[in-house]
Amino acid sequence: MKMKRLVLSLALGVVLPSSMLVAQSATPSTLEFEFSIMAWERMRDVGYAQLKAEARSKPRPIAEDFEIIPMRVSSQGRSDLYHYVGPTPVRLVATSSEGESLRATRMIGAISELRIPQRAMFLIGPAEEESVNIKLLDDSPAAFPGQHVRIVNLAGELVQGTLDGQAFRVDATRAVLPPKRVSESVRVGVAYEKQGRPIIIFDQSLRIGSEERIMLVFLPPFRAGADVRVRVVRDQIFVPAEP
């Protein structure tokens, strides 16, 4: 599996039957982790299927044993942290309101990794032939420390540039680069090719503290003929105070 990328092919128009939420194994692997999520565009009415606490000892949970947890997913930055406890696969679903509760109408993705980092990041790229592209990243402070920059390409275009004086390039085959340690003031220049000529989409310096980290995310154009978009997604590494 290249770059831990999962290409999840789904029939997006098919209604999700109850059997889609039934555990596929009599002894399912149990996971517990936190995750945030970001997509190439805002996604409305989505959530994930969470096995209810009282059903976790069941060898074969049924659809009624799952609770649908709503998520807020956008292209502006990271979502809030969500907490998952339950068997594999982790199912992302489209949702519909039913009174005061939510129900799953179809599955938009499933992550079948048996090992997921304690802090994960799900990145959702554009649909390709009725499939959803999900990249699973280790978002823990150990894997993505402070004063580091991670480059992510969800644009589907070849993007290249320089980061702190070093050249980089990302495309559909290598869409995520390992986090790179940078100086406190890092110069970033980014361009992509449009109609045979390079178009500069980002050219500035960024300040980054020792406890900050940045994801530089490239997104598809809003409309045909527009340019690739850039998001600078910052977050803070929590460092506990010394006793």
Side-chain angles (χ1 to χ4, degrees), residues 37 47 56 80 99 117 123 143 161 185 207 213 216 239:
I37 187 168
R56 289 174 193 161
D80 294 334
L123 292 165
S185 179
R207 295 197 63 84
R213 54 188 189 169
L216 196 62
V239 179

Side-chain angles (χ1 to χ4, degrees), residues 14 39 55 79 192 237:
V14 176
S79 70
Y192 82 108
I237 296 291

Side-chain angles (χ1 to χ4, degrees), residues 136-181:
L136 169 62
L137 303 181
D138 188 339
D139 201 41
S140 65
F144 187 12
Q147 209 167 333
H148 279 66
V149 175
R150 170 180 269 162
I151 293 175
V152 177
N153 186 3
L154 300 179
E157 301 275 355
L158 169 62
V159 177
Q160 50 194 336
T162 57
L163 173 66
D164 219 14
Q166 294 191 7
F168 70 84
R169 108 186 230 130
V170 279
D171 56 21
T173 59
R174 193 184 186 202
V176 181
L177 299 183
K180 174 179 169 52
R181 170 86 179 191

Side-chain angles (χ1 to χ4, degrees), residues 28-32 87-89 111-117 136:
S29 299
T30 299
L31 301 173
E32 181 170 5
T88 57
I111 297 172
S112 300
E113 295 273 315
L114 297 179
R115 294 182 181 178
I116 294 181
L136 169 62

